[in-house]
Amino acid sequence: MKIELPPLPYGDTDLAPHISANTISFHYGKHHKTYVEKATDMVKGTDFADAELEDIVKATYGKADQKALFNNAAQAWNHSFYWKSLTPKGGAPSGKLLDRINTDFGELSKLKDALSKAAVTQFGSGWAWLVLDGGALKVVQTANADTPLATSATPLLTIDVWEHAYYLDHQNKRPAYVTAVIDNLINWEFAAENLG
Ligand code: MN3
């Protein structure tokens, strides 16, 4: 996709009480929107002006002179991916994804534990991810704007653990936010689509 603020895949009250409309109004309406606007401004008149967002993230990753563009482009992409990783419908993984989970983690509860630990222990701002890497599912953490999109791994789903993702609803209690998301809001169908 191009650099854009995609519509939310649900209504702004649909993730409550776990993630409130108030959080969505700031997180989507201010934070995410600002990353999109800054990245859009930065590519104007450059070789990236008409580039796909994914290509900008990959091309600027690890380049000191492109750090500001990477941060804003990666955050634009990470947030679009995060909103799609959530759903008010919750549910459980099935089919090929569940088979892979059982093979690589033993059982679903162990994947949930690993995802929770990654999200809770990420020091400072960042993200917890379920990825496909080298043919196996793995849980990884990234700091700040860093994203597995820029690596050889395929992102399947993510949880934003920047304070702006939970502070209005859960204050300092990141574990309460992480548990609420993992138990109620994970979009396993989206993860299955990304697994392919
Ligand atoms: Mn965020």
Side-chain angles (χ1 to χ4, degrees), residues 44-123:
K44 274 183 190 155
T46 75
D47 291 347
F48 292 122
D50 294 314
E52 297 291 314
L53 179 57
E54 289 85 349
D55 294 335
I56 297 170
V57 171
K58 290 174 182 176
T60 57
Y61 178 64
K63 301 214 168 103
D65 60 339
Q66 303 273 19
K67 187 71 178 167
L69 175 56
F70 171 81
N71 283 340
N72 285 284
Q75 284 293 80
W77 190 88
N78 288 346
H79 280 87
S80 294
F81 196 81
Y82 168 66
W83 300 122
K84 289 190 280 191
S85 296
L86 305 178
T87 174
K89 298 190 189 100
S94 60
K96 185 177 154 193
L97 176 60
L98 183 59
D99 290 345
R100 277 246 64 96
I101 290 169
N102 289 335
T103 299
D104 296 333
F105 290 91
E107 59 185 21
L108 179 61
S109 67
K110 293 209 171 108
L111 162 59
K112 288 183 172 181
D113 288 347
L115 197 54
S116 176
K117 186 179 177 194
V120 169
T121 64
Q122 168 56 35
F123 187 77

Side-chain angles (χ1 to χ4, degrees), residues 1-6 27-44 53 56 69 71-80 83:
M1 67 176 185
K2 302 294 181 187
I3 304 172
E4 61 175 12
L5 186 68
H27 196 181
Y28 172 74
K30 307 281 186 200
H31 291 279
H32 187 179
K33 181 164 177 273
T34 299
Y35 294 127
V36 170
E37 289 173 348
K38 286 189 174 174
T40 300
D41 282 348
M42 286 179 189
V43 300
K44 274 183 190 155
L53 179 57
I56 297 170
L69 175 56
N71 283 340
N72 285 284
Q75 284 293 80
W77 190 88
N78 288 346
H79 280 87
S80 294
W83 300 122

Side-chain angles (χ1 to χ4, degrees), residues 7-31:
L8 277 181
Y10 30 73
D12 63 358
T13 60
D14 291 349
L15 303 182
H18 317 296
I19 296 174
S20 67
N22 193 28
T23 288
I24 299 252
S25 75
F26 283 94
H27 196 181
Y28 172 74
K30 307 281 186 200
H31 291 279

Side-chain angles (χ1 to χ4, degrees), residues 27 75 79 127 160 162 164-165:
H27 196 181
Q75 284 293 80
H79 280 87
W127 303 80
D160 187 342
W162 284 57
H164 64 226

Side-chain angles (χ1 to χ4, degrees), residues 142-164:
T142 62
N144 300 315
D146 277 358
T147 175
L149 178 68
T151 72
S152 58
T154 301
L156 303 188
L157 66 85
T158 193
I159 302 173
D160 187 342
V161 297
W162 284 57
E163 282 188 348
H164 64 226

